[in-house]
Amino acid sequence: MLQAPRSASPSEVPTLDLSSWLAGGTPDALVEQLRAACLGTGFFYVAGHGVPEQVVADVFDATRRYFALPEAIRLGDKIDERFRRGFMPYGINQHPGYDPDLKESYEFGMDLPLTDPDVVAGRPLHGPNRWPECAPWLRPAAEAYFNHTLRLGKDLLRLLALALEQEEGFFLQWCKKPMVQSRLFHYPPQVPDAEKALGVAPHTDYGMVTILAQDPIGGLELMKRDGEWISAPYIDGTFVINLGDMVKVWTNDRFTSNLHRVVNRTGQERYSIPTFFNLDYDAPVHCLPNFQSEVNPPKYPPIKSGDYLVKRFREVQKYKA
């Protein structure tokens, strides 16, 4: 039986206030805080992020309304294999050793027309969004949220670059057509003593950084480096940020992603909205020179951002990305 973990302390999952920096202040203190968080749990909160409260409230309201519709209607927007856009019902995601995740979602991302060269070429994860005719109010709320978190993701990559002793715009050179995806998640109440049937089984995220808006229900749990599970509770006005697996390639395991899971122990409906920020498909992900030496050579071969993402999606989903 999974025991409910204790809440993370402020030192384990700190809160970084971006407001002064975004207003034109120096990033030095934030960079040091970010570096410490990355060397710790790989999770932190951000406040003062510039995303309007009303934008977040509107997208949560639209999410609740959408998942209150009959599933038979929502299945008309079932996710397609090529573009990964639309409604994803229960049972598609499954991690080794666990039952399928107890969640459903609606997925959208960078909205590219069918005439875009990458879409014409059939490049995975590139394509147009699709929006349900049964829920015309979903699109404006979701697009507003996506655009704000897209900007926030680029700001976070600027800080991450500085924390890795690179130029502030280092990662932005591979953000011409970044593979950014947002998902509206709905988690039903789960059986309290379930060990293999979780909202999301333990996993790491795949890309660069994840920006998560969670509702007051909570449910996000993460594993510390020593193996202890702790919860990342809801903090009003913040997003939860965590590193993805590509960061360990850049840093030769100096900064690494951490296992996390979702367990809805409350008996209530839970909603959360992550934005997964990934670089351009052809971004060359490789160990940075300042994280390798003769005695510490690169642990991972260079990879293309998109090739790696497609591989990981295929490992956990019952259809091809």
Side-chain angles (χ1 to χ4, degrees):
M1 179 177 177
L2 290 177
Q3 298 295 322
R6 64 177 176 84
S7 292
S9 69
S11 61
E12 291 169 324
V13 183
T15 299
L16 279 60
D17 189 338
L18 309 185
S19 57
S20 177
W21 174 58
L22 293 178
T26 175
D28 295 352
L30 278 177
V31 170
E32 290 305 313
Q33 290 177 296
L34 175 59
R35 186 179 289 120
C38 292
L39 291 171
T41 61
F43 279 76
F44 55 97
Y45 298 91
V46 291
H49 41 67
V51 181
E53 291 182 9
Q54 193 60 52
V55 168
V56 178
D58 287 348
V59 75
F60 269 108
D61 179 64
T63 299
R64 296 185 187 98
R65 290 177 66 187
Y66 177 73
F67 286 110
L69 296 172
E71 184 182 55
I73 293 177
R74 290 182 282 122
L75 283 171
D77 304 302
K78 188 174 179 181
I79 194 167
D80 58 78
E81 298 183 8
R82 181 181 177 189
F83 301 137
R84 286 186 49 82
R85 307 292 204 273
F87 172 60
M88 183 184 287
Y90 298 112
I92 290 182
N93 270 68
Q94 184 170 9
H95 298 271
Y98 288 85
D99 295 344
D101 290 345
L102 293 173
K103 70 175 188 298
E104 54 183 347
S105 64
Y106 199 94
E107 312 210 2
F108 52 97
M110 292 293 291
D111 195 14
L112 302 175
L114 292 173
T115 55
D116 182 275
D118 286 319
V119 180
V120 173
R123 176 158 276 189
L125 310 178
H126 291 66
N129 287 327
R130 53 189 302 190
W131 299 105
E133 294 183 4
C134 62
W137 29 262
L138 184 64
R139 179 176 183 173
E143 286 185 334
Y145 179 83
F146 180 86
N147 290 334
H148 279 285
T149 52
L150 178 66
R151 187 272 308 162
L152 176 57
K154 291 179 180 180
D155 288 337
L156 292 171
L157 289 186
R158 291 163 56 202
L159 287 177
L160 180 61
L162 293 172
L164 301 185
E165 300 176 4
Q166 306 298 309
E167 293 293 328
E168 186 173 316
F170 177 73
F171 290 119
L172 299 187
Q173 65 184 303
W174 297 298
C175 288
K176 297 178 178 65
K177 200 181 293 182
M179 296 179 295
V180 181
Q181 282 198 314
S182 290
R183 298 176 188 164
L184 312 176
F185 277 147
H186 167 233
Y187 299 88
Q190 69 176 81
V191 178
D193 59 353
E195 295 187 8
K196 299 297 182 181
L198 308 180
V200 181
H203 67 288
T204 55
D205 290 344
Y206 310 151
M208 292 294 292
V209 294
T210 301
I211 303 166
L212 176 70
Q214 57 176 343
D215 68 9
I217 296 299
L220 174 63
E221 300 174 356
L222 60 113
M223 181 185 284
K224 293 173 55 186
R225 308 294 187 199
D226 62 7
E228 180 190 8
W229 285 95
I230 56 177
S231 70
Y234 169 83
I235 298 179
D236 187 41
T238 69
F239 291 99
V240 182
I241 313 297
N242 65 275
L243 302 179
D245 288 336
M246 286 186 190
V247 178
K248 70 182 181 183
V249 180
W250 291 109
T251 66
N252 218 18
D253 276 346
R254 181 64 172 162
F255 293 177
T256 60
S257 51
N258 238 14
L259 283 172
H260 53 286
R261 66 192 183 194
V262 173
V263 186
N264 185 5
R265 309 171 191 275
T266 65
Q268 303 177 60
E269 308 295 321
R270 178 187 188 265
Y271 302 90
S272 69
I273 307 171
T275 295
F276 301 95
F277 203 106
N278 306 300
L279 302 175
D280 295 343
Y281 195 102
D282 289 324
V285 184
H286 59 275
C287 181
L288 294 168
N290 53 313
F291 287 91
Q292 58 178 292
S293 65
E294 289 186 8
V295 297
N296 185 33
K299 297 179 174 65
Y300 305 99
I303 56 174
K304 280 187 178 181
S305 173
D307 289 345
Y308 180 73
L309 291 173
V310 170
K311 174 179 178 292
R312 291 293 300 272
F313 282 133
R314 287 176 173 168
E315 290 172 351
V316 301
Q317 294 180 348
K318 294 182 180 179
Y319 66 87
K320 294 182 179 179

